[in-house]
Amino acid sequence: MNWDQVEGKWKQMKGGIKEKWGKLTDDDLDVIAGKRDKLIGKLQEHYGIARKEAEKQCDEWCRTAVAEDEMEHRKASGF
């Protein structure tokens, strides 16, 4: 999954984002709308972290979301 896929599945992923970064509000998530740069900006704003750190956290979360999505897909298809 890449950020285009994240954007496409944003509504399903909002819960996981909220779990990971609890300081983000529902309004923040609506503004972010799956856009990586907007998520990075909101993380910097709410958590007071540098851009590089926010990028790192976003990319790590994306990789984890990919693995979880693939596992769910395999379970659903019986593999």
Side-chain angles (χ1 to χ4, degrees), residues 4-78:
D4 290 333
Q5 292 170 305
V6 169
E7 192 173 337
K9 294 183 175 188
W10 187 246
K11 287 185 181 181
Q12 295 106 327
M13 302 187 126
K14 284 165 86 172
I17 294 278
K18 194 89 169 177
E19 229 175 80
K20 171 101 175 135
W21 296 291
K23 290 183 181 180
L24 297 178
T25 66
D26 290 333
D27 287 342
D28 290 330
L29 297 176
D30 290 341
V31 168
I32 293 165
K35 306 284 188 206
R36 182 177 181 268
D37 284 340
K38 288 184 180 182
L39 176 57
I40 289 167
K42 289 294 183 183
L43 293 177
Q44 289 179 273
E45 178 183 327
H46 287 288
Y47 289 91
I49 58 177
R51 181 167 183 85
K52 288 285 185 195
E53 177 60 25
E55 289 172 345
K56 178 183 169 194
Q57 288 184 24
C58 284
D59 293 341
E60 287 173 1
W61 172 81
C62 187
R63 280 191 297 278
T64 301
V66 168
E68 289 173 0
D69 190 57
E70 287 175 357
M71 286 179 67
E72 287 179 23
H73 223 71
R74 287 184 188 144
K75 287 179 184 177
S77 61

